[in-house]
Amino acid sequence: MFLLYNGEIIPEEDLCLTVSNRAFQYGDGFFETLLGSYGKVRFWADHLARMKEACETLRLELPEVFLSADFPDQLLNLGKQNECTSQVRFKLKVWRSGEGLYTPQTHQADWLVTAQPFSAPATTPLEVGICTSITTIPSPFSAFKGINAPVYVQASIEKQERALDDMLLLDPLGNVAELTYSNIFWVKEQTLFTPALATGCLNGIMRRNVIRWALKKNWPVKEGFFQFPVLTDADLVFSGNVTGLRALSSLEGEELSMDVELLEQLEQEFLSR
């Protein structure tokens, strides 16, 4: 596999990072998962906006190359180098350069991109449980993808142990926050609901786009703090991340309503981009 490391395409075996690397030592950075589809990096403007937000929070300097108009083409070229044809998943990791202990030596960043073929995920509805082993940890860092993610690892272990499709993460006060790898939404009488960012949920790329879609349709959008029983009264509950949307069919074994027509409308809206 080929990598894109600080702007240079190199074979994977040529990558050499020291043990003093700040991503390894302190998780001092973030990452983005992006999709390339038929010659285009999907939602690039939203990814760039979130990277700017992450850099501001972490007091990192955003690599100037990310602002270049041809940077998405550099990603797509990496996909070609790795023989990814129609669709490709990129993982862009950014971390603080230099060494040091907690106090950094610099605010400049190193970065690395991997590219692998992407196959569309399953579309069958999700059977979900409520996570009991861990809650979200709301903080200034929870809105973007940090490279230290024990919350999602522990929740995913519980998912595996319970043989479920996903786990619903609650915040420390018991409010609905997110799923292990996607945001959660629900619709009731043409009103879109989703947890507030203060619950510790990711400020997801699809989250931004679903909210825009609802506002464009003049639907009320309510971001807030909700206890999980509200999901059982919704017309449709669905998850969303950059790979797409997926309905929830049950929560802790209780069947959820599913407005199939609305789900198809949403899927058509975002799959066509």
Side-chain angles (χ1 to χ4, degrees):
M1 182 169 70
F2 289 95
L3 311 173
L4 183 60
Y5 178 51
N6 287 341
E8 180 182 358
I9 291 181
I10 62 171
E12 181 179 5
E13 56 269 24
D14 287 356
L15 179 67
C16 181
L17 300 176
T18 67
V19 294
S20 59
N21 177 279
R22 294 186 65 85
F24 174 71
Q25 290 286 354
Y26 305 114
D28 190 8
F30 64 92
F31 74 92
E32 288 283 315
T33 302
L34 310 95
L35 291 185
S37 181
Y38 300 100
K40 179 181 178 181
V41 177
R42 301 185 71 209
F43 306 120
W44 170 245
D46 288 313
H47 283 290
L48 182 58
R50 188 165 66 181
M51 288 193 289
K52 290 178 179 179
E53 294 161 8
C55 283
E56 182 177 350
T57 301
L58 293 169
R59 300 188 184 185
L60 277 174
E61 296 175 10
L62 181 76
E64 289 188 11
V65 66
F66 294 177
L67 301 173
S68 170
D70 68 354
F71 186 69
D73 292 331
Q74 293 184 42
L75 301 182
L76 294 168
N77 182 50
L78 177 67
K80 291 178 182 177
Q81 292 285 330
N82 285 310
E83 300 182 354
C84 303
T85 53
S86 57
Q87 298 194 88
V88 52
R89 181 197 296 268
F90 302 105
K91 195 165 187 178
L92 194 167
K93 305 176 183 71
V94 181
W95 64 91
R96 195 182 311 272
S97 304
E99 301 178 359
L101 299 177
Y102 286 133
T103 304
Q105 298 173 333
T106 179
H107 298 309
Q108 293 182 333
D110 290 321
W111 55 277
L112 172 72
V113 186
T114 58
Q116 295 178 314
F118 171 74
S119 298
T123 58
T124 51
L126 297 166
E127 296 182 358
V128 175
I130 298 172
C131 187
T132 60
S133 59
I134 197 76
T135 68
T136 59
I137 305 175
S139 78
F141 313 110
S142 52
F144 56 87
K145 294 183 175 183
I147 51 182
N148 182 25
V151 169
Y152 303 113
V153 172
Q154 293 302 311
S156 296
I157 291 172
E158 183 177 343
K159 173 190 72 174
Q160 185 180 53
E161 291 173 343
R162 295 180 60 185
L164 290 168
D165 297 316
D166 211 338
M167 302 304 297
L168 176 64
L169 282 156
L170 307 179
D171 74 2
L173 298 178
N175 298 303
V176 174
E178 60 187 342
L179 301 173
T180 61
Y181 58 90
S182 58
N183 289 114
I184 187 168
F185 311 86
W186 58 101
V187 176
K188 178 69 175 178
E189 297 175 351
Q190 293 193 338
T191 297
L192 177 72
F193 297 85
T194 197
L197 294 177
T199 62
C201 69
L202 180 73
N203 191 359
I205 301 303
M206 187 60 76
R207 182 183 189 274
R208 300 170 192 234
N209 281 272
V210 170
I211 289 173
R212 284 193 204 115
W213 174 85
L215 292 173
K216 190 175 180 180
K217 290 178 67 68
N218 294 317
W219 282 16
V221 174
K222 296 187 178 181
E223 301 177 64
F225 302 92
F226 309 97
Q227 298 286 304
F228 69 84
V230 300
L231 302 178
T232 63
D233 193 40
D235 301 325
L236 172 68
V237 184
F238 62 99
S239 69
N241 63 24
V242 71
T243 67
L245 308 176
R246 201 164 170 187
L248 275 64
S249 61
S250 66
L251 178 64
E252 287 293 337
E254 183 174 352
E255 187 174 337
L256 300 175
S257 297
M258 193 183 307
D259 185 331
V260 176
E261 183 177 344
L262 175 58
L263 179 62
E264 290 177 349
Q265 183 182 353
L266 283 160
E267 289 175 336
Q268 191 62 36
E269 169 71 19
F270 295 108
L271 287 176
S272 62
R273 293 192 184 187

